[in-house]
Amino acid sequence: MQNITILGATGSIGLSTLEVMRLHPQRFHLYAVSGYSQLDKLADIANQYLPEYVVVNTQEDAQRLSTMINSDCDATILFGERALCEIASAEQVDAVMSAIVGAAGLLPTLAAVKAGKKVLLANKESLVMCGELFIDAVNKHGATLIPIDSEHNAIFQCLPHDYEYAKPNSSGISHLLLTASGGPFRELMPAELDDVTPEQACAHPNWDMGRKISVDSASMMNKGLEFIEAKWLFGVDEDNIKVVIHPQSTIHSMVQYKDGSVLAQMGNPDMRTPIAHALAFPERIESGVSDLNFFEQASFSFESPEKARFPNLFLAMRASRLGQAATTALNAANEIAVEAFLNEHIRFTDIYKVNLQVVENMHTPTLKTIDEIIAHDKACRHLAQSVCASMHQGREK
């Protein structure tokens, strides 16, 4: 029996994790959960799974949640960042699902790493914001890191069992192939992107995701962040990573070897597959996902991403080469810009303009500590907010 903490339990990854756990009640016990604003969902989870701890954002949320939990659930309700770190690093916890979206997931995920936990990483921002420090902490504290993003989990499954971190050549690897669906705007002309709405951006053709991640997928910033994440997860140079658009989302990613072989991980587009793989690793368990029916697959197609249509992807690749300050700046700016777009304060194409301006102005500091990274992140957000405010004012005139 493994005790599991889920950080971000009310999001799509958190809910999918609970679905997999429900199939295996003798293997997994929900020790603790956290949620941000969806208290109704969090109360339902607490009432059904009876965790020991539930963490919310504020004291007011904690008080409200206490009135929504049934008498059968005697969970301790906590609030704030410190509580998140506590449920991620508690001695009783065996594995932590890190599924908080954005920079808010960094410190609790690091707390789990420093406690030597098995960390199921769905929070890509942890590596985008402080990749080198994060990986150093994993190695120092003996944590186990398993990626949950379907692409990185696919690569993880396709790597040789004796793969040495940061030594792809010694494993016969030529390069990693990150697949991307292309999102809902794959066939739009770049000039048409100015007028797309938040609802259109959130209508992903293959995956059911939260609004922020859906917008990132539409702009392919999500793939850009995954590019940066892959660099740190597998210890490879940018030249060893390629992005290929695969609209069917059946091949989740691939590893190409020097002998000409390509190993691909395939399956229906459902996050329960990588979640089940990571929860039970190195075993295989039922995930609840239906088998892939090859006789129903019309075709597999592949395309190169176009810079004019997906400039955020290429900006992320550039930021990765510039270094930690640039990728931290990119992540901070993008979170602010996507929120502004969802609130209809800026256009979809303005997201790239905000990101570019912040990266160009904030890519030079050398960041050596978590405190320096957090301070840099804050400064980048402040600049991004100013840029978004100016754009919003310009639209209103």
Side-chain angles (χ1 to χ4, degrees):
M1 177 68 73
Q2 292 188 53
N3 284 327
I4 310 294
T5 286
I6 302 178
L7 303 174
T10 59
S12 60
I13 297 294
L15 294 174
S16 293
T17 303
L18 290 168
E19 289 182 25
V20 175
M21 290 173 61
R22 187 168 58 237
L23 295 175
H24 305 278
Q26 303 307 313
R27 296 185 66 118
F28 307 112
H29 167 68
L30 185 63
Y31 176 80
V33 292
S34 79
Y36 185 68
S37 60
Q38 300 183 71
L39 297 187
D40 291 340
K41 283 187 179 180
L42 198 58
D44 289 342
I45 292 169
N47 290 329
Q48 181 177 352
Y49 292 91
L50 308 179
E52 276 82 356
Y53 293 92
V54 180
V55 176
V56 292
N57 186 39
T58 66
Q59 185 173 9
E60 291 74 18
D61 287 341
Q63 292 171 345
R64 182 182 165 199
L65 184 65
S66 67
T67 67
M68 303 166 66
I69 292 181
N70 298 335
S71 58
D72 291 341
C73 178
D74 59 356
T76 300
I77 302 174
L78 304 172
F79 65 92
E81 184 176 81
R82 181 176 178 180
L84 288 174
C85 294
E86 288 175 355
I87 64 170
S89 59
E91 183 179 353
Q92 299 91 330
V93 173
D94 298 297
V96 176
M97 171 60 76
S98 173
I100 296 175
V101 176
L106 172 61
L107 291 181
T109 305
L110 267 176
V113 166
K114 291 178 179 179
K117 304 300 182 185
K118 176 182 175 181
V119 179
L120 315 182
L121 188 67
N123 174 267
K124 60 178 61 67
E125 290 81 5
S126 294
L127 286 172
V128 172
M129 288 181 65
C130 61
E132 185 173 5
L133 289 173
F134 190 93
I135 293 299
D136 285 347
V138 169
N139 295 329
K140 178 180 178 181
H141 298 282
T144 300
L145 187 64
I146 302 180
I148 295 299
D149 275 347
S150 61
E151 296 82 1
H152 300 105
N153 186 266
I155 289 170
F156 182 80
Q157 294 190 51
C158 293
L159 289 174
H161 295 301
D162 59 352
Y163 176 72
E164 292 185 73
Y165 182 80
K167 295 182 179 179
N169 291 335
S170 66
S171 299
I173 293 171
S174 173
H175 52 266
L176 312 181
L177 289 161
L178 279 173
T179 59
S181 70
F185 304 143
R186 179 177 61 86
E187 296 181 344
L188 285 185
M189 297 299 294
E192 298 178 273
L193 296 173
D194 270 342
D195 298 320
V196 301
T197 66
E199 288 68 29
Q200 290 173 313
C202 291
H204 195 282
N206 300 333
W207 296 93
D208 180 17
M209 305 179 293
R211 286 170 66 79
K212 193 269 181 184
I213 297 177
S214 294
V215 174
D216 283 348
S217 180
S219 71
M220 275 190 69
M221 174 56 80
N222 200 41
K223 203 56 50 182
L225 298 178
E226 289 172 7
F227 182 97
I228 299 166
E229 187 182 5
K231 169 187 175 180
W232 293 113
L233 274 172
F234 307 114
V236 297
D237 294 331
E238 288 84 0
D239 291 339
N240 294 120
I241 310 170
K242 296 182 180 181
V243 175
V244 56
I245 294 179
H246 169 53
Q248 294 79 23
S249 295
T250 304
I251 298 175
H252 297 136
S253 274
M254 299 168 276
V255 176
Q256 183 142 28
Y257 288 85
K258 291 181 177 179
D259 63 4
S261 299
V262 179
L263 300 188
Q265 189 271 335
M266 306 170 65
N268 287 317
D270 192 312
M271 287 306 298
R272 290 175 295 175
T273 295
I275 289 168
H277 170 262
L279 278 171
F281 183 81
E283 298 180 54
R284 298 277 183 172
I285 60 172
E286 177 68 36
S287 68
V289 179
S290 59
D291 292 343
L292 180 64
N293 189 331
F294 284 91
F295 302 104
E296 294 179 354
Q297 303 299 313
S299 64
F300 289 161
S301 60
F302 305 94
E303 307 167 13
S304 296
E306 298 177 24
K307 189 173 183 178
R309 183 176 285 112
F310 301 119
N312 278 295
L313 169 63
F314 292 86
L315 178 60
M317 294 176 176
R318 177 186 165 200
S320 183
R321 296 179 185 278
L322 288 172
Q324 188 64 78
T327 59
T328 301
L330 177 67
N331 180 72
N334 187 64
E335 287 190 20
I336 297 299
V338 169
E339 182 180 8
F341 167 68
L342 288 172
N343 290 329
E344 300 186 36
H345 292 168
I346 65 173
R347 296 178 184 274
F348 179 77
T349 48
D350 289 336
I351 296 174
Y352 167 70
K353 297 174 185 177
V354 175
N355 293 341
L356 177 63
Q357 187 166 335
V358 174
V359 168
E360 288 186 337
N361 283 279
M362 305 292 284
H363 74 270
T364 53
T366 300
L367 307 176
K368 297 181 179 180
T369 68
I370 294 297
D371 288 342
E372 289 176 351
I373 287 171
I374 292 174
H376 184 62
D377 174 81
K378 183 177 180 180
C380 293
R381 288 171 189 274
H382 180 73
L383 175 58
Q385 287 168 343
S386 298
V387 175
C388 288
S390 297
M391 289 180 173
H392 183 46
Q393 291 173 359
R395 289 188 66 186
E396 290 185 327
K397 289 182 180 179

